[in-house]
Amino acid sequence: MKIAISAEGPDLKSAVAHKFGTSQYLLIVDLNSGDFEAVPNPGSSGQRAAGIQAVLLAISEDVKAVLTGYCSPVAYRHLTASGVEVLAGLSGTVGEVIDKYQKGELQKSVRSKVELKSKDSKIDKAALTQAVRSSAKQFVNLLPMLIGVVLLIGLFSTFVSREFLASIFSGNLALDTLWGTCFGSIFAGNPINSYLIGGELLKHGVSLFAVTALIVAWVTVGLVQLPAEMAALGKRFALVRNALCFILSIPIAILTVVILNLIIR
Amino acid sequence: MSLLNAGSSQKPKDKKTVMRMVLFPAFVLLVYGILFITMQDKAFLALKSSGNVFLNIIWPLALVFVVMLVFNLFVKPGQIAKFLGEGSGFRGIILSAAAGIISVGPIYAWYPLLRELKRKGAGNSPLSVFLYNRAIKLPLLPIMIAYFCWEYVLILAGLTVLGSIAIGYCLGFLVRNNDGLQA
């Protein structure tokens, strides 16, 4: 059985870190063998999604319990929903806390406090409030770019002529699809913007092949995030994956339109 | 998405992110400002055209919000992490595809977990299948259907899942699993 403990250092003598989401390390301890591993907490930088990254890490390590100083209600809810027991309010060294946990001294006192607290706070209502808040936040985050794109589309339809577009998208199926893929690969951001741009291009007579290639490449090829992907998953992985996605955008676009034409007819 | 944003709710948004968010719309507004001074009639035409686009997307956008809310309530990050940890077999590939489809939020937030999973032995195939299937944005389907049609959206989604499996197998063949772990 494995447990995770938020820690300020990479060994058992380190102090238990106060905050689970932003602690320097998560020590993953196998209670059966006594082995442990110090995993740098991806949320330690305190950047976006810090708490949830620690949650994902704990779950991916298949731990049965998380021992920490403080665990936010959101992280607590996600951990317990995945069957992970959360014991908070702990202090001392990691070794001491593990010792108490194994002797069963922690569970009685800390678990009862956490359970009592969770009953009092009506978790369903809290979950709904949190979901509404998160959705509103996502929506607000999406709006500035969306407004920019909609305003740009207004400029586009006023100033860009069909003739100009025809000079780029000549009606040649292969070439147009390739152009669509190239444009989609360069641009990044919320895919909603690619739908709006694609819709506008269609109105201006650009083929659905090119528009589909643009939409597919927009979300599958990530030139902007390539450095981050290389750092996370390896240079070769990122380069080969993006190259394959670029190539695949073309047959997917062609097949989509061909099948659509067959169905609609 | 919620799940990812949820963790950040306690931190003030960093200046860089805010700058990135407003830079583009601010630039477009500047262009409009210049146009209103130099070519007022064209500026009005462009604004009218933008207004029409807004009217077209306003109801689908409301639906997007509702779908986001449902996702935030019912999709748990634990499910996604467990799906991704299923290994490279056929079942693992299918579950990775499902994880990609239901995962939301910026890809940057997922990289640390993907790296950790890779370090723990997750194969390149399920990881790439996961990444490719993020192209299917369930909360955004109302907008996509409004602009194209549901048949188109369905075909594209189906081909995306099939394409992801092809990418997964190709990548598993072309890239060694331990590539990049030392990086």
Side-chain angles (χ1 to χ4, degrees):
Chain A
M1 174 185 162
K2 287 201 284 187
I3 60 171
I5 304 142
S6 61
E8 288 178 359
D11 54 48
L12 300 179
K13 287 177 186 164
S14 310
V16 171
H18 178 58
K19 284 189 178 175
F20 166 69
T22 54
S23 64
Q24 284 298 310
Y25 291 92
L26 287 182
L27 294 195
I28 311 295
V29 183
D30 187 330
L31 293 178
N32 300 330
S33 65
D35 294 340
F36 75 92
E37 184 186 6
V39 182
N41 187 349
S44 62
S45 58
Q47 291 295 308
R48 289 190 74 165
I52 219 66
Q53 290 184 19
V55 170
L56 289 168
L57 177 63
I59 291 166
S60 70
E61 292 283 352
D62 202 23
V63 302
K64 299 295 175 220
V66 163
L67 277 51
T68 184
Y70 168 77
C71 180
S72 73
V74 174
Y76 173 80
R77 205 166 47 244
H78 289 314
L79 285 167
T80 50
S82 301
V84 179
E85 181 182 30
V86 180
L87 300 173
L90 305 174
S91 56
T93 68
V94 173
E96 289 166 359
V97 167
I98 294 173
D99 202 34
K100 285 182 185 172
Y101 180 78
Q102 283 182 307
K103 287 177 183 167
E105 290 172 13
L106 293 181
Q107 285 88 333
K108 283 175 196 163
S109 59
V110 188
R111 190 195 290 146
S112 60
K113 277 184 202 167
V114 172
E115 279 173 0
L116 198 65
K117 205 177 166 189
S118 66
K119 272 181 194 165
D120 287 346
S121 59
K122 288 179 187 169
I123 233 154
D124 285 345
K125 198 178 168 190
L128 182 66
T129 312
Q130 181 62 45
V132 171
R133 203 178 293 164
S134 300
S135 308
K137 194 175 168 190
Q138 291 153 24
F139 209 70
V140 169
N141 284 346
L142 181 146
L143 280 182
M145 202 66 174
L146 186 69
I147 291 170
V149 168
V150 170
L151 289 172
L152 190 69
I153 285 174
L155 292 175
F156 179 87
S157 49
T158 308
F159 290 97
V160 178
S161 65
R162 278 173 175 264
E163 290 73 29
F164 174 75
L165 278 176
S167 68
I168 300 172
F169 296 99
S170 57
N172 179 318
L173 186 148
L175 212 58
D176 286 3
T177 312
L178 183 64
W179 271 121
T181 308
C182 291
F183 287 129
S185 304
I186 295 165
F187 296 116
N190 198 301
I192 208 168
N193 299 321
S194 72
Y195 309 154
L196 266 61
I197 292 169
E200 196 57 30
L201 287 172
L202 274 182
K203 274 190 209 162
H204 279 71
V206 174
S207 76
L208 189 56
F209 291 102
V211 168
T212 308
L214 179 136
I215 290 171
V216 174
W218 186 293
V219 276
T220 58
V221 185
L223 289 186
V224 176
Q225 59 262 34
L226 194 59
E229 189 177 335
M230 287 197 289
L233 298 168
K235 195 174 171 184
R236 189 172 163 84
F237 176 97
L239 289 175
V240 173
R241 195 189 75 81
N242 278 278
L244 288 172
C245 289
F246 181 92
I247 296 165
L248 194 66
S249 298
I250 297 170
I252 284 191
I254 294 172
L255 271 174
T256 302
V257 182
V258 169
I259 296 172
L260 182 72
N261 286 339
L262 286 173
I263 288 175
I264 285 180
R265 253 180 225 170
Chain B
M1 204 159 354
S2 68
L3 316 167
L4 297 172
N5 287 341
S8 64
S9 59
Q10 295 161 352
K11 296 270 168 192
K13 188 166 285 188
D14 58 284
K15 279 183 184 173
K16 251 186 175 177
T17 313
V18 176
M19 277 290 285
R20 251 205 318 262
M21 271 170 67
V22 299
L23 197 65
F24 173 66
F27 173 75
V28 180
L29 280 176
L30 181 73
V31 174
Y32 267 88
I34 295 168
L35 272 181
F36 267 105
I37 297 166
T38 54
M39 306 161 81
Q40 214 177 46
D41 53 334
K42 291 270 187 193
F44 271 117
L45 261 178
L47 209 55
K48 194 181 162 198
S49 181
S50 297
N52 287 335
V53 176
F54 262 123
L55 286 178
N56 280 339
I57 62 169
I58 205 147
W59 285 113
L61 263 183
L63 259 178
V64 166
F65 182 80
V66 174
V67 183
M68 274 178 176
L69 189 64
V70 171
F71 259 68
N72 289 339
L73 264 177
F74 297 110
V75 180
K76 309 284 178 225
Q79 297 163 337
I80 298 170
K82 279 184 178 164
F83 280 8
L84 266 170
E86 277 290 329
S88 303
F90 185 70
R91 184 181 148 83
I93 295 287
I94 296 298
L95 288 178
S96 300
I101 293 169
I102 60 172
S103 79
V104 275
I107 183 62
Y108 296 101
W110 287 96
Y111 284 141
L113 171 76
L114 297 179
R115 180 175 173 78
E116 195 53 32
L117 284 170
K118 187 168 178 177
R119 208 175 62 83
K120 295 279 171 198
N124 287 328
S125 299
L127 292 178
S128 62
V129 168
F130 169 81
L131 286 171
Y132 201 86
N133 277 289
R134 282 178 48 86
I136 301 173
K137 305 283 185 192
L138 293 182
L140 300 183
L141 288 189
I143 291 270
M144 205 179 187
I145 292 169
Y147 262 82
F148 303 94
C149 60
W150 66 267
E151 293 97 334
Y152 172 87
V153 174
L154 215 61
I155 296 166
L156 188 54
L159 288 174
T160 301
V161 175
L162 290 177
S164 76
I165 296 171
I167 292 264
Y169 278 110
C170 287
L171 211 82
F173 182 70
L174 292 170
V175 183
R176 290 192 318 271
N177 272 349
N178 60 356
D179 168 68
L181 292 181
Q182 69 286 357

mmCIF file of all heavy atoms in Angstrom, chain A residues 144 148 151, chain B residues 19 21-33:
data_model
loop_
_atom_site.group_PDB
_atom_site.id
_atom_site.type_symbol
_atom_site.label_atom_id
_atom_site.label_comp_id
_atom_site.label_asym_id
_atom_site.label_seq_id
_atom_site.Cartn_x
_atom_site.Cartn_y
_atom_site.Cartn_z
ATOM 1 N N PRO A 144 -11.903 37.443 -24.125
ATOM 2 C CA PRO A 144 -11.092 38.485 -24.785
ATOM 3 C C PRO A 144 -10.623 38.073 -26.183
ATOM 4 O O PRO A 144 -10.758 38.826 -27.145
ATOM 5 C CB PRO A 144 -9.896 38.657 -23.839
ATOM 6 C CG PRO A 144 -10.355 38.152 -22.533
ATOM 7 C CD PRO A 144 -11.350 37.081 -22.811
ATOM 8 N N GLY A 148 -11.750 39.535 -29.847
ATOM 9 C CA GLY A 148 -10.740 39.967 -30.814
ATOM 10 C C GLY A 148 -10.946 39.311 -32.165
ATOM 11 O O GLY A 148 -10.896 39.969 -33.216
ATOM 12 N N LEU A 151 -14.097 40.641 -33.943
ATOM 13 C CA LEU A 151 -13.830 41.966 -34.511
ATOM 14 C C LEU A 151 -12.919 41.859 -35.736
ATOM 15 O O LEU A 151 -13.091 42.574 -36.722
ATOM 16 C CB LEU A 151 -13.193 42.878 -33.452
ATOM 17 C CG LEU A 151 -14.129 43.333 -32.326
ATOM 18 C CD1 LEU A 151 -13.349 44.064 -31.239
ATOM 19 C CD2 LEU A 151 -15.239 44.244 -32.867
ATOM 20 N N MET B 19 -1.570 39.686 -19.982
ATOM 21 C CA MET B 19 -1.075 40.418 -21.153
ATOM 22 C C MET B 19 -1.386 39.656 -22.436
ATOM 23 O O MET B 19 -1.845 40.219 -23.425
ATOM 24 C CB MET B 19 0.443 40.610 -21.050
ATOM 25 C CG MET B 19 0.868 41.789 -20.204
ATOM 26 S SD MET B 19 0.480 43.348 -20.991
ATOM 27 C CE MET B 19 1.736 43.417 -22.245
ATOM 28 N N MET B 21 -3.682 37.539 -22.902
ATOM 29 C CA MET B 21 -5.120 37.477 -23.152
ATOM 30 C C MET B 21 -5.648 38.752 -23.796
ATOM 31 O O MET B 21 -6.535 38.701 -24.634
ATOM 32 C CB MET B 21 -5.868 37.232 -21.828
ATOM 33 C CG MET B 21 -6.052 35.776 -21.492
ATOM 34 S SD MET B 21 -6.674 35.576 -19.818
ATOM 35 C CE MET B 21 -8.304 36.290 -19.967
ATOM 36 N N VAL B 22 -5.105 39.898 -23.368
ATOM 37 C CA VAL B 22 -5.690 41.161 -23.844
ATOM 38 C C VAL B 22 -4.924 41.798 -25.002
ATOM 39 O O VAL B 22 -5.439 42.715 -25.639
ATOM 40 C CB VAL B 22 -5.839 42.193 -22.694
ATOM 41 C CG1 VAL B 22 -6.749 41.662 -21.619
ATOM 42 C CG2 VAL B 22 -4.496 42.578 -22.124
ATOM 43 N N LEU B 23 -3.720 41.297 -25.265
ATOM 44 C CA LEU B 23 -2.888 41.934 -26.287
ATOM 45 C C LEU B 23 -3.561 41.921 -27.656
ATOM 46 O O LEU B 23 -3.661 42.950 -28.334
ATOM 47 C CB LEU B 23 -1.532 41.232 -26.352
ATOM 48 C CG LEU B 23 -0.435 42.021 -27.059
ATOM 49 C CD1 LEU B 23 -0.102 43.284 -26.269
ATOM 50 C CD2 LEU B 23 0.819 41.183 -27.240
ATOM 51 N N PHE B 24 -4.052 40.746 -28.040
ATOM 52 C CA PHE B 24 -4.644 40.610 -29.374
ATOM 53 C C PHE B 24 -5.916 41.446 -29.533
ATOM 54 O O PHE B 24 -6.020 42.248 -30.476
ATOM 55 C CB PHE B 24 -4.892 39.125 -29.667
ATOM 56 C CG PHE B 24 -5.633 38.878 -30.934
ATOM 57 C CD1 PHE B 24 -5.067 39.176 -32.161
ATOM 58 C CD2 PHE B 24 -6.916 38.358 -30.905
ATOM 59 C CE1 PHE B 24 -5.766 38.970 -33.333
ATOM 60 C CE2 PHE B 24 -7.622 38.141 -32.057
ATOM 61 C CZ PHE B 24 -7.057 38.446 -33.281
ATOM 62 N N PRO B 25 -6.905 41.322 -28.603
ATOM 63 C CA PRO B 25 -8.097 42.165 -28.764
ATOM 64 C C PRO B 25 -7.769 43.663 -28.692
ATOM 65 O O PRO B 25 -8.382 44.465 -29.405
ATOM 66 C CB PRO B 25 -9.005 41.764 -27.596
ATOM 67 C CG PRO B 25 -8.234 40.844 -26.738
ATOM 68 C CD PRO B 25 -7.074 40.349 -27.509
ATOM 69 N N ALA B 26 -6.765 44.011 -27.873
ATOM 70 C CA ALA B 26 -6.381 45.424 -27.782
ATOM 71 C C ALA B 26 -5.824 45.906 -29.120
ATOM 72 O O ALA B 26 -6.122 47.018 -29.576
ATOM 73 C CB ALA B 26 -5.338 45.605 -26.678
ATOM 74 N N PHE B 27 -5.058 45.043 -29.778
ATOM 75 C CA PHE B 27 -4.484 45.399 -31.080
ATOM 76 C C PHE B 27 -5.596 45.597 -32.117
ATOM 77 O O PHE B 27 -5.580 46.557 -32.887
ATOM 78 C CB PHE B 27 -3.515 44.295 -31.530
ATOM 79 C CG PHE B 27 -3.007 44.483 -32.919
ATOM 80 C CD1 PHE B 27 -2.051 45.453 -33.198
ATOM 81 C CD2 PHE B 27 -3.495 43.705 -33.970
ATOM 82 C CE1 PHE B 27 -1.588 45.646 -34.497
ATOM 83 C CE2 PHE B 27 -3.038 43.887 -35.265
ATOM 84 C CZ PHE B 27 -2.082 44.863 -35.532
ATOM 85 N N VAL B 28 -6.586 44.679 -32.107
ATOM 86 C CA VAL B 28 -7.694 44.792 -33.065
ATOM 87 C C VAL B 28 -8.493 46.071 -32.798
ATOM 88 O O VAL B 28 -8.882 46.784 -33.735
ATOM 89 C CB VAL B 28 -8.615 43.540 -32.998
ATOM 90 C CG1 VAL B 28 -9.763 43.665 -33.993
ATOM 91 C CG2 VAL B 28 -7.827 42.277 -33.285
ATOM 92 N N LEU B 29 -8.704 46.380 -31.518
ATOM 93 C CA LEU B 29 -9.425 47.613 -31.174
ATOM 94 C C LEU B 29 -8.659 48.847 -31.652
ATOM 95 O O LEU B 29 -9.260 49.825 -32.112
ATOM 96 C CB LEU B 29 -9.650 47.693 -29.658
ATOM 97 C CG LEU B 29 -10.815 46.857 -29.122
ATOM 98 C CD1 LEU B 29 -10.869 46.937 -27.600
ATOM 99 C CD2 LEU B 29 -12.154 47.322 -29.702
ATOM 100 N N LEU B 30 -7.344 48.775 -31.565
ATOM 101 C CA LEU B 30 -6.503 49.887 -32.043
ATOM 102 C C LEU B 30 -6.714 50.089 -33.549
ATOM 103 O O LEU B 30 -6.850 51.222 -34.029
ATOM 104 C CB LEU B 30 -5.031 49.590 -31.726
ATOM 105 C CG LEU B 30 -4.037 50.668 -32.140
ATOM 106 C CD1 LEU B 30 -4.144 51.873 -31.202
ATOM 107 C CD2 LEU B 30 -2.603 50.129 -32.109
ATOM 108 N N VAL B 31 -6.747 48.965 -34.280
ATOM 109 C CA VAL B 31 -6.975 49.045 -35.731
ATOM 110 C C VAL B 31 -8.331 49.705 -35.998
ATOM 111 O O VAL B 31 -8.460 50.576 -36.870
ATOM 112 C CB VAL B 31 -6.916 47.634 -36.373
ATOM 113 C CG1 VAL B 31 -7.293 47.689 -37.845
ATOM 114 C CG2 VAL B 31 -5.528 47.034 -36.206
ATOM 115 N N TYR B 32 -9.345 49.301 -35.217
ATOM 116 C CA TYR B 32 -10.672 49.911 -35.369
ATOM 117 C C TYR B 32 -10.615 51.409 -35.084
ATOM 118 O O TYR B 32 -11.228 52.215 -35.791
ATOM 119 C CB TYR B 32 -11.687 49.240 -34.428
ATOM 120 C CG TYR B 32 -12.434 48.096 -35.079
ATOM 121 C CD1 TYR B 32 -11.918 46.813 -35.049
ATOM 122 C CD2 TYR B 32 -13.645 48.296 -35.739
ATOM 123 C CE1 TYR B 32 -12.575 45.746 -35.642
ATOM 124 C CE2 TYR B 32 -14.322 47.242 -36.346
ATOM 125 C CZ TYR B 32 -13.788 45.972 -36.292
ATOM 126 O OH TYR B 32 -14.442 44.942 -36.885
ATOM 127 N N GLY B 33 -9.868 51.771 -34.032
ATOM 128 C CA GLY B 33 -9.728 53.186 -33.677
ATOM 129 C C GLY B 33 -9.151 53.979 -34.842
ATOM 130 O O GLY B 33 -9.666 55.043 -35.205
#
